[in-house]
Amino acid sequence: MLIARTRRNNYFLYLAGCLVFSGGAYLFMHSELGTDPLDVFCLGLMEHLPVTVGLSQTLVAVMRLVSVALWTRRRPLPGPLFTFFFCGGMIDLLRWSDPARALPLSSVGILALAVLLCAYGSALIIMSGFGIRAIDLLALTMTSRWRWPFWVTKGLIETALMLSGWLMGGPLGIGTACFLLGVDLLIQPLVFAHSRMLRIPNPELLERPLRAPR
């Protein structure tokens, strides 16, 4: 019973995390002040190859999952791809309905809310232990192997995506910097706050290294 209840709670955390993150990603786009580093890369790639943003994101996710699988010598996990498609569908739905039009906030206010939602959603997904986003999964693997802080490894990955996209012609904006600095720095404190103060079950992926394969 306890195991089943814990699993249900983790699924709830995962679903809530996906919905919150999708809302934050949508608000980044709605603010029109700049997008996240992954989309900078995708838009830059579109300047040179006949691909869509969705296809570009899928390619990046697959490459990250393959990198983790080769590094850990384990089969690629299907959960992150499901997260990608689920969040992508929610973002498309939010862009179509555009509920942010009713928000009494300026573009800067919407951007600040987007940062908080993306960080909070990412923290919930990580704490659920299921379907961790491909970039976060690679960052956690780097944290495990190199003993570097999570915000450093995640920041390195997304900085590389941002610079690569910019060199290919992708757009940069204040929103890109806010995502890179705000979201990446807030995830680990949010996980810590939930595990310590709100007593939400936490697999402690950010507090102890991932187990090395035997």
Side-chain angles (χ1 to χ4, degrees), residues 92-112:
D92 287 339
L93 179 61
L94 288 169
R95 293 185 66 189
W96 173 76
S97 58
D98 203 17
R101 291 178 298 176
L103 290 177
L105 295 174
S106 64
S107 295
V108 174
I110 289 176
L111 179 60

Side-chain angles (χ1 to χ4, degrees), residues 10 13 17 21 25 28 40 48 57 60 65 69 76 81 85 95 97 99 127 130 143 145 148 168 178 190 196-197 205:
N10 287 346
L13 287 177
F21 180 86
F28 263 103
V40 172
H48 304 274
Q57 290 187 353
V60 172
L65 292 178
L81 287 179
F85 287 112
R95 293 185 66 189
S97 58
M127 291 177 69
F130 174 78
T143 296
R145 296 307 175 91
W148 290 1
M168 291 188 293
C178 287
L190 285 170
R196 299 301 183 188
M197 293 186 292
L205 289 175

Side-chain angles (χ1 to χ4, degrees), residues 6-168:
T6 300
R7 186 172 298 173
R8 286 197 300 269
N9 290 341
N10 287 346
Y11 287 153
F12 174 78
L13 287 177
Y14 170 74
L15 179 60
C18 286
L19 294 176
V20 172
F21 180 86
S22 299
Y26 153 70
L27 289 179
F28 263 103
M29 299 176 187
H30 184 84
S31 72
E32 298 183 346
L33 293 177
T35 187
D36 62 278
L38 175 58
D39 284 335
V40 172
F41 176 84
C42 294
L43 292 171
L45 189 63
M46 289 173 60
E47 295 291 327
H48 304 274
L49 297 176
V51 295
T52 63
V53 172
L55 180 58
S56 300
Q57 290 187 353
T58 302
L59 291 174
V60 172
V62 170
M63 289 174 60
R64 295 292 181 263
L65 292 178
V66 170
S67 298
V68 171
L70 292 175
W71 201 351
T72 61
R73 299 179 183 178
R74 294 178 179 175
R75 288 179 296 179
L77 300 172
L81 287 179
F82 175 81
T83 301
F84 167 78
F85 287 112
F86 180 67
C87 289
M90 287 302 305
I91 293 170
D92 287 339
L93 179 61
L94 288 169
R95 293 185 66 189
W96 173 76
S97 58
D98 203 17
R101 291 178 298 176
L103 290 177
L105 295 174
S106 64
S107 295
V108 174
I110 289 176
L111 179 60
L113 181 58
V115 169
L116 291 175
L117 290 180
C118 281
Y120 189 58
S122 296
L124 291 178
I125 293 173
I126 289 173
M127 291 177 69
S128 76
F130 174 78
I132 299 173
R133 298 175 64 241
I135 291 177
D136 292 344
L137 186 61
L138 178 58
L140 286 167
T141 304
M142 293 166 65
T143 296
S144 169
R145 296 307 175 91
W146 297 343
R147 302 298 192 271
W148 290 1
F150 174 75
W151 63 269
V152 172
T153 56
K154 184 172 169 62
L156 286 174
I157 295 170
E158 294 191 327
T159 298
L161 285 172
M162 179 187 69
L163 292 177
S164 299
W166 176 66
L167 290 174
M168 291 188 293

